[in-house]
């Protein structure tokens, strides 16, 4: 399909703003660009059709099942969008006087209170714009805490080998050295290995629980104790909170600070990659280090303040505020029972799907899972030459977004499924039937799967060529 | 009370297949002593009740009909087609386009966005976005670091929000920061030269700067390049409808806040950090990048590319940790630019310029004197002949948000929305107060 | 089967080494390029950089993986293969022709193995 620039026709335009009615002002020629930017020249109907075509070539949660592991692709309620679009939120300048933005500050304050209760934290910043941004912020909290106490030797952040790639990358950005610890045979943290690497140089541990295998680590209290005993802090990666919200809280498991992904657990849409929101919560003893522009409340109303020993700001203003509006709408809708019901159904759906699939595929760790589970297709690869990639690509032809492929790294030929709570039994049954059909195809006609998908807008792209000879923008033929 | 579709009966069927009695049984790995007894948040509510609560909160904000405040966030006209397109559920509810075969729509739109950012900035390569303009500036500094170049010089005239973020980022990576001092509203090249050295990795300047002034970017870049350091420019994308591009001024990396390109003020977000650079720096760009390739049938298609730079592959060795970005905001900017077209964007930029200069002229008549003589785009600083706090309060009562108070001065802003009628209204209102 | 020329020496981390007088030439083995898949980018040190035996001096990227390349010797980089930087596919096409770096002033060498022993190691890992 054509690019905007290829559809452009000279002189075509939309009448969007009136002619300027103030006197013409001329800047010196030296300040001006030599020629106009080559933006496309289109009519409104051109634009509308262009993007309608693009929408048809985009699979969202609203198009079908989206069991992309670790991403919590639950349904995004329309009311949340409507509330974020209210003029009283959307058209408010971030530098208005504080008495003129009491509604916005209350949104921030109430969201913070609700999320603190759900996670067992004492305070929270909503400034980070995404999960990785939250990790970075949380690690800076840990860094500030140690440095403020004159504890300059704590340079190591411990990360399990099953962790999201953002964990080690964030630790490096925050100025730490990363120490990887292996998993044990049950998929949890190997306690002996953990004991070996902790010490006076331990700044903290980053952990997600349930972990990326979808397993709740039963040794969690021992793990956080080991870290605390050597003076380190425990950081909770909230990517998988959807499994446990309303049932057990990171704060009660021994975590000192956390980040959440509002665009996962709290139903705000991913927008094709963002915007997200990655609030960071912490225990009382860390709150003075939180980023600037916190919201407080006193008898006169809500106000902005900067914590005493702040780490500084990680983003301008107050973060992705309109995403927070959506999350608050969602939490108010669910309420105390709804939150618990959501996590329970997410876990039920994952176990149900796993139970039905395990008759055909190998489960990496075949035990009760939380909100997601990982299949290991090594056997299928060896016996039939059919890879995790082949199975994933084949499911595209059935209108299913594939599970996360080749992650976590500790499972070979991994496929990670996260059905989420908003899918019904019927949808999951249909999806299982699809994966069974693909399994049978792998036995009878593996070649067919190597070249899948067969019914999508494109076939498999040549990614090698894309990386070897990058074409990163449209080139005009003139 | 939620979005769980299955009845208790159906859930029972599922539990039976799994072989357990209740959902609670699935949590048997959770230690008994930490299981939550009671979640202390309010009961769930219907959609109507929640919408009443949220509308009530929105009503507690003051919505101004007339805004003369910018300072990093700008109220512009947002064409109806922009929201129409970006609220399509396919775009709204998709994840990062990992599976190219069913994500060509998002991928192509990012490729188009990258092309438009390159056209606006006059540079070779753009990424798919970062969180906001301030983070884009910080990431650009990281892109410039070399093994033996670990100092970043920052103009003193940049947006203070951006400076705050740069400070945080640079401290954690032990980058030495030098912020240029000086009284003026424009960067003094002599002051820059005092600090340039072999250790300088980059110089970051914003133009138009925080005070609206157009900086001598070309001359500054020349000085910076003498030390083999990188020149980074923060730009207002609307100004590039008119002003000389970073590319034309030998800038290595251009960054900026993309909010003016079709995003609402939104009390500060979501916004859009855009980044563009010269070809030589391509692989140092953080975050997602979309590239063109062909599928196995030879058809043109688009994929996420150069991924081995990123955190999910490089882990602790990645140069940035960014994963989620601001994809939908990038699409918003792209639709905005496509709807404006080359002439429309220039018209918006010219209107901003003209309206701001008319505003300056009219304010001067009332004793608000501009404090600098340098050329500016659509923001400028004046004195204030009365107590600015009183003025702000009085104007607020008339639904006018005046310029931002900087101590005893005021930073004014005009966009295409502040036409003659709007400005005359402000002037009349001030006359009543003075 | 993978090609492992007899005249070369091999590191267990899958680099090969050829001695040309005082200069050591380092590249990736056939086994390494095969297990990495299509190589899309090669990240090499600069001329005059120091490399240390057993330590990473650069990395190679395939579409979805990145692998460190380790130096079998300690010394100073005197030349890098610009051709490979421009066209990383050469490593896949001709791993023993597409050398990566040349090292001089060699002060220390890792324990390297011969082609037969290396072939056995590849067999084991495969």
């Amino acid at each position: 399909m054509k690019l905007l620039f290829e559809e452009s026709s000279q002189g075509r335009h939309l009448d969007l703003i009136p002619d300027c009615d103030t006197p013409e002002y001329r800047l010196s020629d030296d300040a001006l660009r030599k020629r106009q930017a080559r933006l496309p020249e289109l009519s409104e109907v051109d634009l509308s059709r262009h993007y309608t075509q693009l929408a048809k070539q985009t699979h969202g949660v609203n198009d079908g099942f989206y069991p992309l592991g670790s991403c919590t692709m639950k349904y995004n309620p329309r009311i949340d969008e409507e509330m974020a679009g209210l003029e009283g939120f959307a058209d408010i300048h971030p530098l208005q006087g504080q008495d003129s933005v009491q509604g916005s500050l209350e949104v921030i304050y109430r969201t913070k209170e609700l999320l603190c209760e759900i996670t067992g934290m004492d305070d929270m910043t909503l400034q980070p714009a995404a999960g990785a941004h939250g990790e970075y912020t949380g690690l800076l909290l840990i860094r500030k805490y140690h440095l403020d106490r004159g504890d300059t030797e704590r340079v190591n952040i411990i990360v399990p080998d099953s962790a999201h790639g953002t964990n080690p990358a964030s630790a490096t950005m925050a100025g730490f050295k990363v120490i990887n610890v292996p998993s044990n045979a049950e998929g949890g943290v190997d306690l002996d290995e953990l004991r070996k690497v902790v010490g006076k140089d331990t700044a903290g541990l980053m952990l997600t629980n349930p972990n990326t295998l979808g397993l709740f680590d039963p040794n969690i209290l021992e793990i956080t104790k080991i870290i605390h005993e050597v003076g380190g802090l425990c950081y909770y990666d909230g990517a998988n909170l959807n499994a446990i919200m309303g049932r057990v809280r990171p704060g009660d498991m021994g975590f000192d600070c956390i980040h959440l992904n509002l665009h996962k657990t709290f139903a705000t849409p991913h927008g094709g990659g963002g915007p997200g929101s990655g609030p960071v919560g912490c225990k009382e003893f860390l709150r003075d280090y939180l980023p600037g522009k916190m919201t407080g409340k006193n008898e006169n109303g809500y106000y902005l303040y900067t914590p005493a020993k702040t780490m500084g700001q990680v983003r301008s203003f107050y973060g992705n505020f309109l995403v927070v509006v959506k999350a608050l709408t969602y939490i108010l809708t669910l309420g105390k029972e709804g939150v618990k019901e959501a996590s329970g159904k997410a876990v039920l759906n994952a176990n149900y799907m796993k139970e039905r699939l395990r008759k055909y595929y190998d489960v990496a760790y075949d035990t009760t899972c939380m909100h997601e589970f990982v299949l290991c297709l090594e056997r299928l690869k060896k016996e039939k030459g059919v890879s995790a990639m082949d199975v994933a690509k084949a499911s595209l032809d059935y209108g299913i977004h594939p599970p996360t492929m080749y992650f976590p790294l500790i499972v070979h030929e991994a496929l990670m499924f996260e059905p989420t709570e908003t899918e019904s039994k019927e949808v999951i049954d249909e999806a299982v039937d699809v994966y069974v059909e693909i399994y049978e195809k792998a036995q009878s006609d593996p070649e067919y799967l190597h070249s899948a998908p067969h019914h999508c807008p494109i076939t498999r792209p040549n990614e090698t060529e894309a990386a070897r000879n990058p074409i990163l923008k449209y080139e005009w033929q003139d | 009370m939620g979005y769980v579709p299955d009845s208790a009966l159906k859930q029972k069927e599922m539990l039976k297949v799994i072989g357990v009695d209740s959902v609670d049984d699935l949590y048997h790995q959770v230690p008994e002593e930490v299981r939550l007894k009671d979640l202390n948040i309010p009961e769930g509510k219907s959609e109507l009740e929640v919408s009443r609560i949220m509308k009530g909160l929105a009503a507690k904000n003051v919505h101004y009909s007339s805004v003369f405040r910018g300072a990093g966030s700008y109220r512009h006209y947002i064409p109806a087609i922009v929201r129409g397109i970006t609220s399509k559920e396919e775009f709204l509810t998709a994840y990062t386009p990992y599976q190219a075969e069913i994500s060509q729509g998002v991928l192509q739109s990012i490729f188009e966005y990258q092309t438009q950012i390159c056209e606006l900035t006059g540079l070779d390569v753009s990424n798919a976005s970062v969180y906001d303009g301030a983070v884009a500036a910080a990431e650009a500094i990281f892109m410039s670091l070399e093994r033996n170049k670990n100092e970043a010089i920052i103009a003193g005239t940049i947006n203070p929000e951006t400076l705050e973020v740069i400070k945080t980022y640079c401290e954690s990576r032990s980058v030495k920061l030098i912020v240029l001092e000086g009284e003026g509203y424009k960067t003094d090249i002599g002051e820059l030269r005092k600090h340039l050295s072999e250790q300088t990795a980059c110089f970051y300047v914003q133009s138009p700067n925080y005070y609206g002034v157009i900086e001598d970017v070309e001359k500054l870049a020349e000085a910076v390049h003498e030390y083999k350091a990188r020149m980074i420019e923060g730009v207002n994308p609307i100004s590039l409808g008119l002003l000389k591009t970073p590319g034309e001024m030998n800038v290595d990396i251009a960054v900026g806040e993309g909010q003016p390109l079709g995003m609402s003020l939104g009390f500060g977000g979501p916004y859009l950090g855009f980044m563009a650079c010269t070809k030589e720096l391509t692989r140092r760009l953080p975050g997602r990048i979309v590239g063109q390739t062909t599928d196995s049938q030879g058809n043109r298609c688009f994929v996420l590319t150069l991924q081995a730079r990123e955190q999910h592959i490089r882990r602790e060795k990645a140069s940035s940790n960014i994963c989620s970005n601001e994809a939908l905001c990038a699409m918003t900017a792209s639709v905005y630019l496509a709807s404006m077209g080359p002439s429309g964007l220039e018209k918006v930029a010219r209107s901003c310029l003209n309206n701001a200069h008319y505003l300056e002229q009219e304010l001067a008549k009332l004793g608000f004197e501009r404090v600098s003589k340098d050329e500016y785009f659509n923001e400028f600083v004046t004195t204030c002949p009365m107590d600015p706090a009183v003025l702000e309060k009085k104007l607020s009562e008339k639904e006018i948000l005046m310029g931002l108070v900087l101590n005893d001065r005021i930073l004014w802003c005009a966009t295409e929305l502040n036409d003659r009628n709007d400005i005359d209204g402000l002037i009349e209102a001030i006359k009543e107060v003075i | 089967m993978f090609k492992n020329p007899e005249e070369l020496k091999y590191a267990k981390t899958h680099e090969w080494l050829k001695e040309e007088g005082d200069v050591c030439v380092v590249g990736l083995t056939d086994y390494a390029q095969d297990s990495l898949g299509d190589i899309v980018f090669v990240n090499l040190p600069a001329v005059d950089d120091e490399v240390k035996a057993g330590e990473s001096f650069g990395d190679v990227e395939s579409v979805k993986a990145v692998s460190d390349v380790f130096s079998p010797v300690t010394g100073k980089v005197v030349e890098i293969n610009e051709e490979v930087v421009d066209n990383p596919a050469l490593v896949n096409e001709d791993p023993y022709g597409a050398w990566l770096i040349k090292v001089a002033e060699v002060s220390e060498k890792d324990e390297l193995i011969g082609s037969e022993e290396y072939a056995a190691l590849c067999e084991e890992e495969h």
Side-chain angles (χ1 to χ4, degrees):
Chain A
M1 112 161 243
K2 281 185 177 174
L3 292 163
L4 282 172
F5 315 98
E6 294 162 335
E7 289 168 350
S8 177
S9 172
Q10 204 179 355
R12 213 173 265 177
H13 68 280
L14 284 70
D15 279 321
L16 295 171
I17 61 163
D19 291 335
C20 188
D21 60 0
T22 54
E24 179 79 17
Y25 184 85
R26 285 187 65 87
L27 287 168
S28 61
D29 285 347
D30 192 46
L32 305 177
R33 64 184 294 155
K34 286 197 189 70
R35 59 167 175 80
Q36 286 182 337
R38 286 172 292 185
L39 300 173
E41 297 178 79
L42 301 164
S43 65
E44 185 163 330
V45 66
D46 290 338
L47 268 173
S48 172
R49 287 186 184 149
H50 178 84
Y51 284 100
T52 300
Q53 284 305 313
L54 290 188
K56 284 181 184 163
Q57 299 190 12
T58 301
H59 182 100
V61 174
N62 296 67
D63 290 284
F65 192 35
Y66 214 128
L68 186 64
S70 249
C71 299
T72 314
M73 298 299 284
K74 60 173 76 176
Y75 177 70
N76 312 126
R78 291 306 299 193
I79 184 69
D80 303 358
E81 295 305 308
E82 203 175 302
M83 293 303 106
L86 292 173
E87 197 176 59
F89 292 133
D91 203 26
I92 301 299
H93 197 288
L95 295 172
Q96 287 184 202
Q98 293 187 26
D99 52 351
S100 74
V101 292
Q102 286 295 303
S104 290
L105 297 181
E106 189 174 339
V107 165
I108 290 172
Y109 194 86
R110 281 171 79 159
T111 307
K112 172 178 97 171
E113 279 198 315
L114 291 166
L115 293 176
C116 278
E117 170 62 19
I118 290 170
T119 57
M121 293 290 139
D122 297 318
D123 208 347
M124 189 172 281
T125 170
L126 304 182
Q127 195 171 60
H133 204 206
E135 290 174 17
Y136 176 62
T137 308
L139 289 164
L140 291 185
L141 266 184
I142 294 177
R143 189 184 141 98
K144 269 276 171 194
Y145 167 76
H146 290 309
L147 289 178
D148 189 44
R149 290 155 47 95
D151 207 346
T152 54
E153 306 298 304
R154 298 192 180 270
V155 292
N156 292 341
I157 288 288
I158 299 167
V159 177
D161 56 4
S162 61
H164 297 114
T166 47
N167 286 183
S170 300
T172 302
M173 257 184 97
F176 290 111
K177 192 172 158 226
V178 176
I179 307 289
N180 285 295
V181 281
S183 303
N184 61 21
E186 290 78 43
V189 174
D190 189 320
L191 295 182
D192 293 333
E193 292 294 330
L194 180 63
R195 285 195 187 95
K196 274 188 219 160
V197 297
V198 298
K200 280 187 181 145
D201 52 3
T202 302
L205 164 82
M206 293 181 90
L207 196 68
T208 172
N209 190 28
N211 63 19
T212 58
L213 296 162
L215 305 174
F216 190 93
D217 201 317
N219 299 322
I220 187 61
L221 298 177
E222 185 61 24
I223 292 168
T224 51
K225 194 172 145 214
I226 291 171
I227 299 298
H228 285 152
E229 275 173 358
V230 297
L233 300 186
C234 297
Y235 179 90
Y236 182 81
D237 173 344
N240 294 345
L241 186 79
N242 204 48
I244 59 165
M245 60 175 179
R247 294 168 185 275
V248 54
R249 310 189 303 174
D252 299 335
M253 293 191 272
F255 289 96
D256 305 294
C257 55
I258 61 158
H259 86 261
L260 300 173
N261 300 73
L262 299 188
H263 50 288
K264 295 182 180 181
T265 318
F266 297 96
T268 73
H270 289 63
S277 173
V280 168
C282 66
K283 293 283 194 182
E284 180 67 34
F285 71 98
L286 290 172
R287 72 191 308 170
D288 280 350
Y289 307 102
L290 283 167
K293 297 199 166 57
M294 294 290 293
T295 302
K297 185 185 178 187
N298 62 21
E299 64 281 8
N300 300 320
Y302 300 91
Y303 62 93
L304 291 164
Y305 71 96
T306 296
K309 299 170 182 172
T310 183
M311 66 169 70
Q313 272 181 236
V314 293
R315 189 198 175 279
S316 57
F317 308 120
Y318 329 102
N320 282 342
F321 173 75
L322 296 179
V323 177
V324 174
V325 171
K326 297 178 197 184
L328 177 60
T329 308
Y330 176 75
I331 301 168
L332 291 176
T333 305
L334 259 57
K336 58 162 42 169
E337 330 77 17
V339 163
K340 198 174 169 188
E341 186 191 27
S343 58
K345 184 63 161 60
V347 170
L348 174 61
N349 279 356
N351 277 286
Y352 177 75
M353 190 170 183
K354 175 172 75 72
E355 188 57 34
R356 288 210 52 204
L357 282 176
R358 65 191 280 271
K359 298 184 184 93
Y360 305 89
Y361 297 90
D362 297 332
V363 181
Y365 293 84
D366 199 1
T367 170
T368 307
C369 66
M370 289 279 101
H371 65 308
E372 63 191 2
F373 62 93
V374 180
L375 298 182
C376 170
L377 272 61
E378 212 171 7
R379 186 170 54 89
L380 200 60
K381 178 84 188 286
K382 274 210 174 113
E383 289 173 3
K384 299 290 166 189
V386 172
S387 65
M389 166 89 93
D390 293 336
V391 172
K393 294 295 180 192
S395 70
L396 292 169
D397 280 334
Y398 297 89
I400 293 178
H401 191 289
T404 295
M405 310 184 297
Y406 299 98
F407 187 81
L409 305 175
I410 56 173
V411 176
H412 294 144
E413 297 296 325
L415 286 180
M416 181 199 229
F417 289 82
E418 182 182 6
T420 84
E421 74 277 10
T422 56
E423 300 301 337
S424 64
K425 177 173 178 292
E426 288 85 346
V427 170
I428 294 173
D429 282 337
E430 277 169 35
V432 169
D433 292 345
V434 165
Y435 283 101
V436 171
E437 204 176 313
I438 294 171
Y439 179 81
E440 280 158 2
K441 198 83 183 165
Q443 312 299 318
S444 63
D445 188 4
E447 267 317 301
Y448 184 81
L449 299 185
H450 294 327
S451 53
H454 300 274
H455 308 293
C456 288
I458 61 163
T459 57
R460 287 193 202 183
N462 187 338
E463 297 191 62
T464 303
E465 192 49 35
R468 278 184 181 162
N469 300 303
I471 303 172
L472 308 176
K473 65 175 167 90
Y474 176 67
E475 297 294 347
W476 278 265
Q477 310 295 323
D478 58 18
Chain B
M1 203 200 63
Y3 303 91
V4 168
D6 287 333
S7 64
L9 197 66
K10 196 149 267 177
Q11 296 197 30
K12 269 265 181 281
E13 281 175 43
M14 297 171 82
L15 288 165
K16 208 170 152 194
V17 173
I18 301 167
V20 295
D21 293 331
S22 71
V23 167
D24 287 347
D25 289 350
L26 297 171
Y27 288 88
H28 63 84
Q29 300 275 41
V30 179
E32 192 69 48
E33 64 262 48
V34 290
R35 289 189 200 174
L36 190 61
K37 304 290 175 296
D38 180 45
L39 181 67
N40 187 21
I41 68 172
E43 308 269 323
K45 292 179 181 62
S46 67
E47 185 171 307
L48 175 60
E49 290 168 293
V50 173
S51 95
R52 280 181 184 143
I53 295 173
M54 296 306 292
K55 283 176 182 169
L57 288 171
K60 289 185 187 174
N61 285 333
V62 178
H63 179 251
Y64 292 101
S65 58
S66 186
V67 174
F68 292 91
R69 188 167 296 187
S73 300
Y74 303 91
R75 189 198 264 181
H76 287 281
Y77 180 68
I78 301 175
I81 186 82
V82 172
R83 289 210 180 108
I85 286 170
T86 54
S87 61
K88 282 181 187 288
E89 288 183 319
E90 295 87 342
F91 299 140
L92 196 62
T93 68
Y95 198 71
T96 302
Y98 293 132
Q99 298 288 344
E101 294 88 341
I102 52 166
S103 308
Q104 284 301 297
V106 168
L107 287 162
Q108 181 172 331
S109 86
I110 298 172
F111 186 80
E112 291 168 344
Y113 161 82
Q114 288 173 183
T115 306
Q116 289 168 323
I117 292 297
C118 290
E119 274 299 305
L120 271 190
T121 58
L123 286 166
D124 305 320
V125 194
S126 155
N127 68 6
S129 76
V130 295
Y131 311 131
D132 74 346
V135 171
E139 290 274 13
I141 291 170
F142 284 1
M143 280 174 71
S144 313
L145 301 177
E146 309 277 350
R147 214 174 330 162
N148 45 15
K149 283 175 169 290
N150 196 41
E151 282 181 20
I153 306 177
I154 314 293
T157 53
I158 72 165
N159 188 309
E161 291 280 326
T162 308
L163 183 59
E164 283 304 311
V165 174
I166 287 175
K167 279 181 181 166
T168 308
Y169 271 66
C170 286
E171 195 201 319
S172 72
R173 274 219 171 154
S174 308
V175 178
K176 190 178 163 200
L177 265 191
I178 300 164
V179 182
L180 297 185
E181 287 167 10
E183 289 292 291
Y185 292 89
K186 190 173 176 180
T187 301
D188 175 5
I189 192 160
E191 188 65 22
L192 169 64
R193 282 194 177 279
K194 264 191 233 164
H195 296 282
L196 280 168
S197 76
E198 293 301 323
Q199 280 72 50
T200 307
C202 62
F203 173 58
Y204 175 71
V205 68
Q206 179 186 324
S207 179
N209 68 25
Y210 184 58
Y211 309 108
V213 171
I214 299 168
E215 298 270 7
D216 287 331
V217 177
E218 235 165 328
K219 288 199 184 106
L220 295 167
E222 210 179 296
V224 169
H225 288 150
E226 281 171 29
Y227 291 85
K228 292 195 166 52
R230 309 289 183 186
M231 179 71 186
I232 308 171
E233 183 190 357
V235 288
N236 173 343
I238 294 287
S239 77
L240 292 178
L242 202 55
L243 299 187
K244 204 178 243 185
T245 66
E248 287 172 311
M249 299 187 288
N250 296 321
V251 165
D252 300 290
I253 309 169
V255 296
E257 178 48 71
Q259 177 270 331
L261 303 174
M263 275 142 270
S264 52
L265 292 169
F267 195 54
Y271 284 1
L272 165 71
F274 66 84
M275 300 185 77
C277 66
T278 56
K279 196 171 176 196
E280 174 215 357
L281 293 169
T282 304
R283 298 188 54 89
R284 296 192 185 192
L285 265 179
R288 316 279 189 215
I289 299 178
V290 170
Q292 179 184 315
T293 184
T294 50
D295 72 1
S296 60
Q297 312 283 314
N299 300 308
R300 176 174 72 183
C301 64
F302 303 94
V303 292
L304 291 174
T305 193
L306 305 182
Q307 290 192 71
R309 300 167 297 114
E310 293 186 64
Q311 47 74 28
H312 59 289
I313 292 173
R314 223 167 249 266
R315 297 176 77 86
E316 64 265 29
K317 288 181 185 154
S319 57
S320 170
N321 69 339
I322 187 166
C323 184
S324 284
N325 53 26
E326 304 291 306
L328 195 66
C329 299
M331 178 183 271
T332 305
S334 187
V335 180
Y336 177 86
L337 289 169
S339 68
M340 283 295 166
S343 305
L345 184 69
E346 185 177 337
K347 192 173 177 182
V348 172
R350 280 196 188 283
S351 301
C352 291
L353 177 80
N354 296 344
N355 291 347
H357 285 80
Y358 177 70
L359 173 64
E360 181 207 339
Q361 172 198 311
E362 295 304 302
L363 283 169
K365 293 176 187 166
L366 302 181
F368 296 80
E369 297 288 344
R370 183 163 179 242
V371 295
S372 147
K373 295 266 176 278
D374 298 305
E375 282 198 303
Y376 69 94
F377 176 58
N378 73 332
E379 291 183 274
F380 58 93
V381 179
T382 68
T383 58
C384 186
M386 61 179 289
D387 181 351
V390 174
L391 180 64
E392 179 160 11
K393 192 163 177 293
K394 295 281 180 195
L395 290 177
S396 183
E397 286 162 12
K398 296 177 190 296
E399 285 188 46
I400 297 172
L401 182 65
M402 72 167 204
L404 184 68
V405 178
L406 307 175
N407 297 321
D408 57 343
R409 298 181 171 179
I410 304 175
L411 173 60
W412 297 92
C413 172
T415 71
E416 76 283 5
L417 294 175
N418 308 103
D419 57 9
R420 182 186 288 265
N421 186 43
D422 197 47
I423 293 168
D424 291 348
L426 168 76
I427 297 299
E428 285 313 308
I430 295 177
K431 277 183 189 161
E432 285 175 33
V433 178
I434 278 188
Chain C
M1 273 311 285
F2 301 104
K3 284 179 288 179
N4 302 310
E6 272 178 38
E7 66 275 19
L8 302 180
K9 287 188 176 135
Y10 298 87
K12 287 179 179 166
T13 46
H14 307 292
E15 292 82 15
W16 56 260
L17 178 104
K18 182 160 78 179
E19 290 177 57
E20 292 179 345
D22 290 343
V23 174
C24 288
V25 188
V26 181
L28 278 174
T29 66
D30 192 22
Y31 175 83
Q33 71 78 20
D34 182 76
S35 39
L36 286 164
D38 292 339
I39 291 168
V40 298
F41 188 73
V42 178
N43 204 354
L44 297 180
V47 170
D48 286 344
D49 278 2
E50 303 282 334
V51 292
K52 278 187 102 173
E55 287 185 12
S56 157
F57 66 80
D59 53 50
V60 288
E61 292 179 3
S62 58
V63 171
K64 294 216 166 114
V66 58
S67 301
D68 281 322
V69 190
F70 297 90
S71 178
V73 295
T74 300
K76 194 166 142 186
V77 179
V78 287
E79 199 181 339
I80 63 166
N81 191 349
E82 298 283 357
E83 230 180 304
V84 166
V85 173
D86 293 339
N87 184 10
L90 290 174
V91 178
N92 291 120
E93 290 157 14
D94 179 14
Y96 298 103
W99 58 276
L100 300 177
I101 56 168
K102 292 187 179 177
V103 185
E105 297 171 33
V106 173
S107 61
E108 192 192 339
K109 271 184 215 169
D110 250 3
E111 233 174 88
L112 301 176
I113 53 180
S115 67
E116 241 170 76
E117 200 181 331
Y118 180 66
L121 179 87
C122 294
E123 195 57 36
E124 210 174 288
E125 285 194 17
H126 193 53

